[in-house]
Protein backbone atom coordinates (compact mmCIF):
# COMPACT_ATOMS: atom_id res chain seq x y z
CA UNK A 1 0.00 0.00 0.00
CA UNK A 2 1.22 3.56 -0.62
CA UNK A 3 2.79 5.35 2.32
CA UNK A 4 0.20 7.43 4.15
CA UNK A 5 2.10 9.73 6.47
CA UNK A 6 -0.95 10.97 8.39
CA UNK A 7 -2.19 7.43 8.96
CA UNK A 8 1.00 5.51 9.81
CA UNK A 9 3.69 7.87 11.04
CA UNK A 10 4.37 7.75 14.77
CA UNK A 11 2.15 4.72 15.34
CA UNK A 12 4.05 1.54 14.37
CA UNK A 13 6.35 3.10 11.80
CA UNK A 14 8.32 6.31 12.21
CA UNK A 15 9.43 6.49 8.59
CA UNK A 16 8.60 5.26 5.13
CA UNK A 17 11.70 3.04 5.22
CA UNK A 18 10.03 0.81 7.82
CA UNK A 19 11.80 2.06 10.95
CA UNK A 20 9.73 0.97 13.96
CA UNK A 21 8.58 3.37 16.64
CA UNK A 22 8.82 2.30 20.29
CA UNK A 23 5.20 1.17 20.09
CA UNK A 24 6.03 -0.78 16.96
CA UNK A 25 9.00 -2.48 18.61
CA UNK A 26 6.82 -3.46 21.58
CA UNK A 27 4.17 -4.95 19.29
CA UNK A 28 6.82 -6.87 17.37
CA UNK A 29 8.08 -8.32 20.65
CA UNK A 30 4.53 -9.27 21.64
CA UNK A 31 3.91 -10.92 18.27
CA UNK A 32 7.10 -12.97 18.58
CA UNK A 33 6.10 -14.17 22.04
CA UNK A 34 2.56 -14.91 20.85
CA UNK A 35 3.92 -17.19 18.14
CA UNK A 36 5.29 -19.50 20.85
CA UNK A 37 1.71 -19.82 22.16
CA UNK A 38 0.29 -20.90 18.78
CA UNK A 39 0.32 -24.65 19.60
CA UNK A 40 -1.65 -23.97 22.77
CA UNK A 41 -4.21 -21.81 20.96
CA UNK A 42 -4.62 -24.42 18.22
CA UNK A 43 -4.52 -27.64 20.22
CA UNK A 44 -4.83 -26.73 23.90
CA UNK A 45 -7.77 -27.84 26.02
CA UNK A 46 -9.55 -26.22 28.99
CA UNK A 47 -7.76 -27.10 32.22
CA UNK A 48 -9.37 -27.91 35.55
CA UNK A 49 -12.94 -26.90 34.60
CA UNK A 50 -15.39 -28.85 36.79
CA UNK A 51 -18.56 -26.80 36.29
CA UNK A 52 -20.87 -26.28 33.32
CA UNK A 53 -23.72 -23.83 32.67
CA UNK A 54 -26.57 -25.15 30.54
CA UNK A 55 -27.72 -22.74 27.84
CA UNK A 56 -31.45 -23.56 27.49
CA UNK A 57 -31.99 -23.30 23.73
CA UNK A 58 -35.15 -25.39 24.12
CA UNK A 59 -36.68 -22.66 26.28
CA UNK A 60 -39.86 -21.37 24.56
CA UNK A 61 -41.24 -18.72 26.91
CA UNK A 62 -42.87 -15.50 25.74
CA UNK A 63 -39.48 -13.91 25.00
CA UNK A 64 -37.20 -16.88 24.29
CA UNK A 65 -34.49 -14.83 22.60
CA UNK A 66 -33.75 -12.95 25.82
CA UNK A 67 -35.02 -14.87 28.85
CA UNK A 68 -32.75 -17.88 28.46
CA UNK A 69 -29.66 -15.88 27.50
CA UNK A 70 -30.16 -13.53 30.44
CA UNK A 71 -30.28 -16.53 32.77
CA UNK A 72 -26.98 -17.83 31.38
CA UNK A 73 -25.36 -14.40 31.85
CA UNK A 74 -26.54 -14.32 35.46
CA UNK A 75 -25.24 -17.83 36.19
CA UNK A 76 -21.88 -16.85 34.71
CA UNK A 77 -21.74 -13.66 36.79
CA UNK A 78 -22.47 -15.61 39.96
CA UNK A 79 -19.65 -18.04 39.23
CA UNK A 80 -17.34 -15.15 38.29
CA UNK A 81 -17.69 -13.58 41.69
CA UNK A 82 -17.07 -16.81 43.60
CA UNK A 83 -14.07 -17.62 41.36
CA UNK A 84 -15.50 -20.77 39.74
CA UNK A 85 -14.51 -21.20 36.10
CA UNK A 86 -17.17 -22.79 33.89
CA UNK A 87 -17.97 -24.01 30.39
CA UNK A 88 -21.26 -23.17 28.67
CA UNK A 89 -22.95 -26.18 27.09
CA UNK A 90 -26.17 -26.91 25.17
CA UNK A 91 -28.35 -29.95 24.62
CA UNK A 92 -25.97 -30.98 21.82
CA UNK A 93 -23.22 -31.47 24.43
CA UNK A 94 -25.58 -33.38 26.71
CA UNK A 95 -26.70 -35.71 23.92
CA UNK A 96 -23.03 -36.27 23.08
CA UNK A 97 -22.38 -37.45 26.63
CA UNK A 98 -20.28 -34.47 27.73
CA UNK A 99 -21.87 -34.23 31.19
CA UNK A 100 -19.47 -36.92 32.38
CA UNK A 101 -16.66 -34.31 32.14
CA UNK A 102 -18.14 -32.15 34.90
CA UNK A 103 -18.74 -32.30 38.62
CA UNK A 104 -21.41 -29.56 38.76
CA UNK A 105 -24.12 -28.23 36.42
CA UNK A 106 -26.12 -24.98 36.65
CA UNK A 107 -29.42 -24.90 34.75
CA UNK A 108 -30.89 -21.37 34.63
CA UNK A 109 -34.34 -20.77 33.07
CA UNK A 110 -34.63 -24.39 31.96
CA UNK A 111 -38.39 -24.94 32.10
CA UNK A 112 -38.41 -26.75 28.75
CA UNK A 113 -36.27 -29.88 28.38
CA UNK A 114 -36.67 -32.67 25.84
CA UNK A 115 -37.12 -36.08 27.42
CA UNK A 116 -33.68 -37.40 26.46
CA UNK A 117 -31.93 -34.29 27.84
CA UNK A 118 -33.89 -34.49 31.10
CA UNK A 119 -33.04 -38.20 31.39
CA UNK A 120 -29.34 -37.47 30.89
CA UNK A 121 -29.43 -34.75 33.57
CA UNK A 122 -31.14 -37.14 36.00
CA UNK A 123 -28.47 -39.78 35.33
CA UNK A 124 -25.75 -37.16 35.83
CA UNK A 125 -27.05 -36.49 39.34
CA UNK A 126 -27.68 -40.15 40.10
CA UNK A 127 -24.05 -40.90 39.22
CA UNK A 128 -22.78 -38.25 41.66
CA UNK A 129 -23.22 -34.91 39.88
CA UNK A 130 -24.14 -31.63 41.58
CA UNK A 131 -27.12 -29.78 40.05
CA UNK A 132 -28.36 -26.23 40.76
CA UNK A 133 -31.50 -24.84 39.07
CA UNK A 134 -34.29 -22.34 39.51
CA UNK A 135 -38.07 -22.53 39.28
CA UNK A 136 -39.93 -25.05 37.12
CA UNK A 137 -36.78 -26.68 35.75
CA UNK A 138 -37.87 -29.53 33.46
CA UNK A 139 -41.57 -28.92 34.07
CA UNK A 140 -42.29 -29.08 30.31
CA UNK A 141 -40.80 -30.74 27.25
CA UNK A 142 -39.59 -28.74 24.25
CA UNK A 143 -43.15 -28.63 22.84
CA UNK A 144 -44.61 -27.29 26.10
CA UNK A 145 -46.27 -30.52 27.16
CA UNK A 146 -46.11 -30.91 30.94
CA UNK A 147 -43.72 -33.75 31.86
CA UNK A 148 -42.39 -32.86 35.35
CA UNK A 149 -39.29 -34.80 34.32
CA UNK A 150 -36.97 -33.71 37.16
CA UNK A 151 -39.35 -33.44 40.12
CA UNK A 152 -37.94 -36.55 41.82
CA UNK A 153 -34.40 -35.35 41.17
CA UNK A 154 -35.07 -32.03 42.95
CA UNK A 155 -37.51 -33.44 45.50
CA UNK A 156 -40.15 -30.80 44.71
CA UNK A 157 -43.59 -30.81 43.11
CA UNK A 158 -44.77 -27.65 41.33
CA UNK A 159 -48.14 -26.35 42.58
CA UNK A 160 -48.60 -22.91 40.98
CA UNK A 161 -46.84 -19.66 40.15
CA UNK A 162 -46.94 -16.95 42.80
CA UNK A 163 -45.83 -13.40 42.02
CA UNK A 164 -46.29 -12.34 45.67
CA UNK A 165 -43.33 -14.39 46.92
CA UNK A 166 -40.34 -12.07 46.90
CA UNK A 167 -38.36 -12.32 50.17
CA UNK A 168 -36.54 -15.40 51.46
CA UNK A 169 -33.63 -16.50 53.62
CA UNK A 170 -31.05 -19.27 53.35
CA UNK A 171 -30.52 -21.42 56.42
CA UNK A 172 -30.13 -18.94 59.30
CA UNK A 173 -28.94 -16.04 57.16
CA UNK A 174 -30.46 -12.62 56.62
CA UNK A 175 -33.55 -12.16 54.52
CA UNK A 176 -32.98 -11.16 50.88
CA UNK A 177 -35.29 -9.93 48.16
CA UNK A 178 -35.81 -11.26 44.63
CA UNK A 179 -36.35 -8.31 42.25
CA UNK A 180 -39.17 -8.56 39.74
CA UNK A 181 -38.10 -10.49 36.65
CA UNK A 182 -37.22 -8.09 33.86
CA UNK A 183 -36.29 -9.12 30.36
CA UNK A 184 -34.70 -6.15 28.63
CA UNK A 185 -30.97 -5.60 28.88
CA UNK A 186 -31.01 -1.81 28.87
CA UNK A 187 -31.33 0.06 32.17
CA UNK A 188 -34.22 2.31 33.12
CA UNK A 189 -36.72 0.51 30.85
CA UNK A 190 -40.15 -0.56 32.06
CA UNK A 191 -40.14 -4.22 33.14
CA UNK A 192 -41.32 -6.97 30.82
CA UNK A 193 -42.75 -9.84 32.81
CA UNK A 194 -42.51 -13.08 30.80
CA UNK A 195 -43.13 -15.29 33.80
CA UNK A 196 -43.71 -15.10 37.53
CA UNK A 197 -41.13 -14.24 40.14
CA UNK A 198 -41.65 -17.46 42.16
CA UNK A 199 -43.70 -20.62 42.58
CA UNK A 200 -45.33 -22.64 45.31
CA UNK A 201 -43.99 -26.19 45.69
CA UNK A 202 -44.57 -29.27 47.83
CA UNK A 203 -41.66 -31.44 49.02
CA UNK A 204 -41.13 -35.00 47.82
CA UNK A 205 -39.25 -37.77 49.59
CA UNK A 206 -36.43 -36.65 51.86
CA UNK A 207 -35.91 -33.21 50.33
CA UNK A 208 -34.73 -30.60 52.84
CA UNK A 209 -35.82 -26.98 53.09
CA UNK A 210 -32.70 -24.77 53.19
CA UNK A 211 -34.56 -21.45 53.00
CA UNK A 212 -38.11 -20.16 53.23
CA UNK A 213 -40.13 -17.27 51.90
CA UNK A 214 -41.46 -14.79 54.42
CA UNK A 215 -44.78 -16.69 54.60
CA UNK A 216 -42.98 -19.96 55.42
CA UNK A 217 -43.22 -21.66 52.01
CA UNK A 218 -40.09 -23.45 50.71
CA UNK A 219 -37.76 -21.12 48.79
CA UNK A 220 -34.50 -23.11 48.62
CA UNK A 221 -34.57 -26.91 48.66
CA UNK A 222 -31.70 -29.40 48.69
CA UNK A 223 -32.06 -33.06 47.84
CA UNK A 224 -29.97 -36.21 47.60
CA UNK A 225 -30.68 -38.20 44.45
CA UNK A 226 -28.63 -41.32 43.93
CA UNK A 227 -25.01 -40.40 44.60
CA UNK A 228 -25.53 -36.71 43.73
CA UNK A 229 -27.00 -33.57 45.29
CA UNK A 230 -29.31 -30.84 44.01
CA UNK A 231 -30.14 -27.29 45.05
CA UNK A 232 -33.43 -25.87 43.79
CA UNK A 233 -34.68 -22.28 43.97
CA UNK A 234 -38.47 -21.99 43.73
CA UNK A 235 -38.03 -18.54 42.19
CA UNK A 236 -36.71 -16.99 38.97
CA UNK A 237 -33.43 -16.33 40.75
CA UNK A 238 -31.11 -16.18 37.75
CA UNK A 239 -33.20 -13.71 35.77
CA UNK A 240 -33.66 -11.57 38.87
CA UNK A 241 -29.89 -11.48 39.44
CA UNK A 242 -29.30 -10.13 35.95
CA UNK A 243 -31.22 -6.97 36.71
CA UNK A 244 -29.60 -6.25 40.03
CA UNK A 245 -26.93 -3.88 38.71
CA UNK A 246 -29.52 -1.60 37.16
CA UNK A 247 -31.56 -1.45 40.36
CA UNK A 248 -28.82 -1.18 42.97
CA UNK A 249 -25.81 0.41 41.27
CA UNK A 250 -24.28 3.12 43.42
CA UNK A 251 -21.77 5.92 42.95
CA UNK A 252 -19.09 5.87 41.61
CA UNK A 253 -20.11 2.83 39.55
CA UNK A 254 -22.63 3.70 36.81
CA UNK A 255 -25.34 1.23 35.88
CA UNK A 256 -23.90 -0.02 32.63
CA UNK A 257 -22.93 -3.28 30.95
CA UNK A 258 -19.24 -2.80 31.70
CA UNK A 259 -19.89 -2.89 35.44
CA UNK A 260 -22.22 -5.87 35.60
CA UNK A 261 -19.62 -8.05 37.25
CA UNK A 262 -18.90 -5.47 39.92
CA UNK A 263 -22.40 -4.67 41.13
CA UNK A 264 -24.79 -7.29 39.91
CA UNK A 265 -25.07 -10.05 42.54
CA UNK A 266 -25.90 -9.60 46.20
CA UNK A 267 -23.28 -11.10 48.54
CA UNK A 268 -25.99 -13.12 50.31
CA UNK A 269 -26.87 -14.89 47.06
CA UNK A 270 -23.21 -15.50 46.25
CA UNK A 271 -22.80 -17.05 49.68
CA UNK A 272 -25.53 -19.60 48.89
CA UNK A 273 -23.76 -20.78 45.75
CA UNK A 274 -20.30 -20.75 47.26
CA UNK A 275 -21.44 -22.67 50.34
CA UNK A 276 -23.34 -25.36 48.44
CA UNK A 277 -20.69 -25.92 45.76
CA UNK A 278 -17.88 -25.93 48.30
CA UNK A 279 -19.73 -28.40 50.55
CA UNK A 280 -19.93 -30.74 47.56
CA UNK A 281 -16.28 -30.50 46.53
CA UNK A 282 -16.53 -28.05 43.63
CA UNK A 283 -13.38 -25.90 43.61
CA UNK A 284 -11.89 -23.19 41.37
CA UNK A 285 -9.40 -24.28 38.70
CA UNK A 286 -7.25 -21.34 39.79
CA UNK A 287 -7.19 -20.04 43.37
CA UNK A 288 -7.21 -16.27 43.97
CA UNK A 289 -6.70 -14.59 47.32
CA UNK A 290 -8.53 -11.22 47.48
CA UNK A 291 -6.41 -8.18 48.20
CA UNK A 292 -6.26 -7.03 51.79
CA UNK A 293 -7.97 -3.76 52.55
CA UNK A 294 -10.59 -4.15 49.82
CA UNK A 295 -14.14 -3.36 50.72
CA UNK A 296 -15.06 -6.71 52.21
CA UNK A 297 -16.65 -9.85 50.85
CA UNK A 298 -16.94 -11.06 47.29
CA UNK A 299 -17.22 -7.59 45.77
CA UNK A 300 -13.58 -6.97 46.71
CA UNK A 301 -12.32 -9.68 44.38
CA UNK A 302 -11.86 -7.75 41.16
CA UNK A 303 -9.71 -10.45 39.53
CA UNK A 304 -11.21 -13.47 37.82
CA UNK A 305 -9.50 -16.16 35.75
CA UNK A 306 -11.94 -16.31 32.86
CA UNK A 307 -10.20 -19.15 31.02
CA UNK A 308 -7.37 -21.61 31.49
CA UNK A 309 -6.26 -23.39 28.31
CA UNK A 310 -3.17 -25.51 27.91
CA UNK A 311 -1.27 -28.63 26.92
CA UNK A 312 1.71 -30.44 28.44
CA UNK A 313 4.08 -27.55 27.72
CA UNK A 314 2.18 -24.34 28.29
CA UNK A 315 -0.85 -22.68 29.85
CA UNK A 316 -2.72 -19.55 28.79
CA UNK A 317 -4.88 -17.86 31.41
CA UNK A 318 -7.31 -15.08 30.57
CA UNK A 319 -7.40 -12.74 33.56
CA UNK A 320 -10.30 -10.30 33.86
CA UNK A 321 -10.01 -7.24 36.07
CA UNK A 322 -12.80 -4.80 36.79
CA UNK A 323 -13.54 -1.86 39.01
CA UNK A 324 -12.10 1.63 39.48
CA UNK A 325 -9.68 0.66 42.23
CA UNK A 326 -6.00 1.21 42.87
CA UNK A 327 -3.47 -1.44 41.90
CA UNK A 328 -3.25 -4.22 44.47
CA UNK A 329 -1.07 -7.25 45.03
CA UNK A 330 -3.26 -10.30 44.50
CA UNK A 331 -2.08 -13.85 45.17
CA UNK A 332 -2.91 -16.36 42.44
CA UNK A 333 -2.10 -20.08 42.54
CA UNK A 334 -1.87 -21.65 39.06
CA UNK A 335 -1.33 -25.29 38.20
CA UNK A 336 2.05 -25.82 36.53
CA UNK A 337 2.46 -27.30 33.02
CA UNK A 338 3.43 -30.98 33.12
CA UNK A 339 6.80 -30.23 31.54
CA UNK A 340 7.66 -27.73 34.27
CA UNK A 341 7.74 -23.94 34.50
CA UNK A 342 10.31 -22.13 32.37
CA UNK A 343 8.84 -18.74 31.43
CA UNK A 344 5.90 -16.60 32.49
CA UNK A 345 4.49 -13.99 30.10
CA UNK A 346 1.94 -11.38 31.11
CA UNK A 347 0.22 -9.42 28.35
CA UNK A 348 -1.76 -6.34 29.39
CA UNK A 349 -4.53 -5.79 26.84
CA UNK A 350 -5.22 -2.26 28.11
CA UNK A 351 -1.66 -0.92 27.87
CA UNK A 352 -0.62 -3.39 25.15
CA UNK A 353 2.53 -4.32 27.03
CA UNK A 354 4.17 -7.68 27.58
Amino acid sequence: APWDKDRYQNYFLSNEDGTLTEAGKEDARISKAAQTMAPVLNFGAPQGIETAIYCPWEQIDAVPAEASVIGVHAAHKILCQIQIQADVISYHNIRRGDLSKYKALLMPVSKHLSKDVAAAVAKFVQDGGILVADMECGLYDEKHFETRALEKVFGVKHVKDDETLSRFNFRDGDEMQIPAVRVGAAPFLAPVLPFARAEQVNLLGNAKVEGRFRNGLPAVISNKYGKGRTLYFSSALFNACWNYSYMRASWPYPACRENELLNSIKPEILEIFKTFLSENGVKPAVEITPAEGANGGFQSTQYYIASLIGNDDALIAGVSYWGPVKARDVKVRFPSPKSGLRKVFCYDTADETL
Side-chain angles (χ1 to χ4, degrees):
W3 174 255
D4 184 337
K5 180 178 179 181
D6 292 334
R7 183 176 180 185
Y8 297 115
Q9 192 170 24
N10 298 325
Y11 188 58
F12 290 135
L13 302 176
S14 61
N15 235 311
E16 191 172 355
D17 63 4
T19 304
L20 292 175
T21 62
E22 290 304 311
K25 292 176 182 178
E26 180 66 11
D27 270 59
R29 192 167 73 91
I30 291 169
S31 297
K32 185 176 181 180
Q35 288 175 13
T36 68
M37 296 290 100
V40 188
L41 293 171
N42 284 329
F43 307 112
Q47 304 290 304
I49 305 296
E50 298 183 333
T51 305
I53 300 170
Y54 178 67
C55 186
W57 291 114
E58 297 176 308
Q59 179 68 16
I60 53 173
D61 261 308
V63 280
E66 292 194 37
S68 56
V69 176
I70 285 172
V72 172
H73 274 290
H76 182 257
K77 288 192 292 184
I78 289 171
L79 294 179
C80 276
Q81 291 191 272
I82 62 173
Q83 301 298 336
I84 298 289
Q85 295 78 36
D87 288 337
V88 177
I89 64 172
S90 71
Y91 61 87
H92 297 291
N93 301 92
I94 292 178
R95 287 171 175 164
R96 199 166 61 195
D98 290 351
L99 280 181
S100 60
K101 300 177 182 179
Y102 305 105
K103 182 178 291 185
L105 175 65
L106 271 63
M107 299 190 73
V109 200
S110 299
K111 298 182 183 182
H112 297 86
L113 297 174
S114 55
K115 292 181 180 178
D116 60 332
V117 170
V121 171
K123 186 178 186 305
F124 166 76
V125 179
Q126 191 168 36
D127 292 344
I130 307 304
L131 177 62
V132 181
D134 59 355
M135 65 180 285
E136 300 177 3
C137 181
L139 184 61
Y140 308 101
D141 68 10
E142 76 279 17
K143 297 178 182 179
H144 200 65
F145 289 103
E146 190 173 290
T147 58
R148 299 176 179 263
L150 296 178
E151 284 191 341
K152 291 182 179 179
V153 176
F154 292 116
V156 299
K157 184 178 182 65
H158 170 77
V159 178
K160 65 177 181 178
D161 291 346
D162 191 337
E163 180 62 29
T164 66
L165 302 175
S166 62
R167 293 182 177 275
F168 74 100
N169 70 345
F170 177 69
R171 297 179 179 172
D172 296 325
D174 295 335
E175 188 179 74
M176 61 196 87
Q177 182 172 6
I178 306 169
V181 177
R182 288 186 166 104
V183 179
F188 316 123
L189 294 181
V192 179
L193 303 177
F195 40 76
R197 189 185 326 210
E199 62 175 332
Q200 295 183 19
V201 299
N202 292 329
L203 300 189
L204 300 175
N206 296 317
K208 178 183 178 183
V209 177
E210 301 280 5
R212 295 185 181 276
F213 291 109
R214 180 175 281 184
N215 64 0
L217 292 177
V220 188
I221 303 98
S222 65
N223 191 42
K224 183 172 176 57
Y225 183 78
K227 298 178 182 178
R229 293 280 309 280
T230 64
L231 190 70
Y232 183 88
F233 296 92
S234 53
S235 61
L237 184 81
F238 290 106
N239 280 76
C241 285
W242 167 262
N243 299 283
Y244 189 77
S245 61
Y246 301 139
M247 301 176 66
R248 296 287 187 272
S250 58
W251 180 261
Y253 315 123
C256 62
R257 284 179 179 272
E258 288 73 18
N259 282 331
E260 283 165 6
L261 293 175
L262 189 66
N263 291 353
S264 55
I265 312 298
K266 294 185 72 172
E268 295 89 345
I269 291 176
L270 297 176
E271 186 65 42
I272 296 175
F273 282 84
K274 184 174 183 179
T275 298
F276 183 75
L277 293 175
S278 177
E279 286 174 350
N280 290 283
V282 180
K283 299 178 181 179
V286 176
E287 298 175 18
I288 299 181
T289 302
E292 293 183 7
N295 295 324
F298 299 102
Q299 308 291 19
S300 66
T301 310
Q302 291 92 7
Y303 296 87
Y304 167 65
I305 308 300
S307 59
L308 187 65
I309 301 171
N311 55 25
D312 288 352
D313 298 316
L315 292 173
I316 294 179
V319 185
S320 292
Y321 165 81
W322 61 84
V325 298
K326 296 179 180 179
R328 300 183 186 277
D329 291 327
V330 177
K331 297 179 181 179
V332 182
R333 183 186 298 274
F334 289 94
S336 176
K338 293 180 181 179
S339 61
L341 188 63
R342 295 187 297 275
K343 290 184 179 179
V344 176
F345 295 96
C346 180
Y347 176 56
D348 188 320
T349 56
D351 296 334
E352 294 190 355
T353 56
L354 184 71

